[in-house]
Each structure stands twice: as C-alpha cells, then as structure tokens.
Amino acid sequence: MRHAQIESTSNARVKEWAGLLEKKHRDRQGKYMVEGVHLVQEALRSGADVECVAYDMARGVPAELAEDARSSSTDWIAVSAAIVSKCTEARTPQPVFAVVRKSSAKLADVLQAANGLVAVLDGVQDPGNVGTIIRAADAAGAAGVLIGRGCADIYNPKTVRSTMGSLFHLPIVEGDLTELLPQAREASAKIVSTSLQAQQNCYEADYRGATWFVFGSEGGGVSPEVEAFVDEAIIIPMPGRAESLNVAMAASVLLFEAVRQRLN
C-alpha cells in the first residue's frame, strides 16, 4: 500500500477527480469514478485497472477494505470529507472512492467464447437500464456486452452503480453495431431481437449456440440500421394486461431463457 494525504479541494489531482463526474472529462482522461466500499472492492478484486483509492481520513480505511489495502500496490490516499463530497455524486457520500482506467476490451475478447451468449444494446438511453442489463448478462454467464451508439455512458456514475460490480466481470465493448455485428455473423453467431410484430414465441427459439440478443431503445426499439443484421425476431408472450416490459426486464427474461436451455 502506497500512502499519501490530500486535504485541499483546490489540489490539482482533486480537480481532475471531480471532473470525472462529467462525460467529457471521463473521455479525455480515459478514466472514471467508482463510489462506495462494495464497488471499490469489486474493482480491486476483479483486476480492474485502479489508479488510486481515496478514503475519508477522519474515518480511515473502511474495515471491509483493510486486507485489500494491505495487499494492493495501488495508491491509497487519505482525503478530507470536503474532497469526498466534491468528487462523488451521492447526496450522502460513502467514505471511499476509486479512480479506474477505462476498459480496453475488444470484440475479439467476446468472440473467443465458444457458443457465447452476448447482450447487445442499441440506443438504450437510461443509465439504470444499461447497468441492469450488464448485471443480468454477468449473472447469466454471458461472454460480453456490446454497447452501440446512442446508449447511456457505461461510465456514468448511475450506470456504474446499477451494474453492482458486474462492470468489472466481463468484456464490455463500445462501438458502431453496423461494424461489429457483421463480424459476429462471420463467427456463426445468431443475432436475435424482440419485436411486437414477431410470430415466433421467445420460448420456442433455440439459444444453445452462439446467440447475440439485441435490445433496442426504450422508446423506439431496435434501429432500422441494426435490425438489418438481425437473423431472428421473437416476441415475449405477455398474457397479462401490461402493455410492454421494461428493456432491462426483457433482457433478463431472454438471457435466462438461454441459461435454462443451456442447463438442460
């Protein structure tokens, strides 16, 4: 554990950290912030590229992170409560945050999994939905997640919190889906999306081979540009009176139907 201490909110490093609350600064620095004991612990134990961990000097290193602090080569920095408040988004901030360098995952990292299950997001704009789908994909043992244009920033603090640490557990690749999906098809993946006009029940389709589920925006569904690459359209039967499912709920239904098939 390399130890340092910063007390002033006007410190240059603190200003850089605070800037990470905005996307333009996250993009420029290639870093993002994770807040709270659980997420910091997940980042450290999952091998994320953690630049430093900052903790409230008045409260000390949280007990849950004591072993991580002893065994980690990461910089651990004691900071004032004012710095914690300045650099975190929560109204009642937790006493620890970490600065993490963005993932360098590539499509090849996703394609290498045999019979891979992949969640593909096309214009999903709500950070909570994006984070929940990443979490569901992780729980389902997916090979990775693709984030297309128009989606919420996966490094937005709300998205990061919604993943509950799953952000660190599987490859997440950002890019143009019209360039990435053809490569999936070349690798023999079947690309599947939901549609209210589809004739095939989602429980009748076969997801035991390499299956890439495409989930569209909350308002407009899958875009025409991406729909052109879809091999199979399915519908989730809804015998109740609800008009539709939240995109994160739909994603969970399909990912775990694939899990059910693969376990049988």
Side-chain angles (χ1 to χ4, degrees):
M1 172 181 175
R2 295 194 295 269
H3 184 84
Q5 182 171 307
I6 302 175
E7 296 187 45
S8 173
T9 56
S10 60
N11 179 279
R13 196 167 188 185
V14 172
K15 290 180 179 178
E16 284 192 358
W17 297 341
L20 296 176
L21 295 173
E22 296 183 44
K23 184 178 186 303
K24 64 180 180 181
H25 293 297
R26 293 193 293 269
D27 291 343
R28 181 177 60 80
Q29 295 186 43
K31 304 171 190 176
Y32 63 103
M33 192 82 73
V34 299
E35 304 173 19
V37 171
H38 172 71
L39 286 175
V40 170
Q41 189 173 69
E42 284 296 315
L44 291 167
R45 297 184 179 182
S46 302
D49 191 358
V50 179
E51 179 182 275
C52 65
V53 178
Y55 61 92
D56 187 333
M57 63 175 64
R59 300 169 67 174
V61 174
E64 302 93 326
L65 295 174
E67 181 57 36
D68 298 282
R70 284 191 291 269
S71 61
S72 171
S73 60
T74 299
D75 288 338
W76 289 68
I77 305 171
V79 300
S80 64
I83 290 175
V84 174
S85 180
K86 180 175 182 175
C87 296
T88 55
E89 191 182 58
R91 289 186 178 180
T92 306
Q94 295 195 50
V96 63
F97 63 87
V99 175
V100 185
R101 298 180 183 91
K102 289 185 177 183
S103 169
S104 58
K106 306 295 182 187
L107 186 63
D109 300 321
V110 179
L111 290 173
Q112 67 183 1
N115 296 327
L117 181 63
V118 177
V120 181
L121 280 61
D122 176 30
V124 179
Q125 298 174 344
D126 181 78
N129 284 337
V130 171
T132 300
I133 294 171
I134 291 172
R135 186 179 178 187
D138 178 27
V145 177
L146 265 62
I147 306 291
R149 299 187 190 283
C151 289
D153 180 14
I154 61 173
Y155 302 110
N156 179 308
K158 292 185 178 68
T159 311
V160 173
R161 284 196 298 272
S162 295
T163 71
M164 290 295 290
S166 291
L167 181 70
F168 311 120
H169 299 165
L170 73 175
I172 301 175
V173 179
E174 298 180 273
D176 186 336
L177 297 182
T178 63
E179 296 176 1
L180 298 176
L181 291 180
Q183 297 178 60
R185 293 175 98 183
E186 288 173 10
S188 300
K190 179 171 67 173
I191 300 173
V192 180
S193 74
T194 58
S195 169
L196 293 176
Q197 287 73 48
Q199 299 300 310
Q200 183 170 215
N201 182 313
C202 71
Y203 301 114
E204 298 170 345
D206 185 350
Y207 312 128
R208 289 171 294 180
T211 304
W212 294 40
F213 287 116
V214 180
F215 304 110
S217 72
E218 293 85 349
V222 177
S223 65
E225 296 80 9
V226 170
E227 191 172 23
F229 298 98
V230 171
D231 299 307
E232 196 168 296
I234 54 174
I235 188 168
I236 299 174
M238 293 183 291
R241 297 176 63 184
E243 184 177 306
S244 63
L245 289 178
N246 170 285
V247 64
M249 295 170 63
S252 298
V253 168
L254 296 181
L255 288 164
F256 281 92
E257 170 58 16
V259 170
R260 185 196 67 78
Q261 293 184 14
R262 291 164 184 233
L263 291 177
N264 287 341

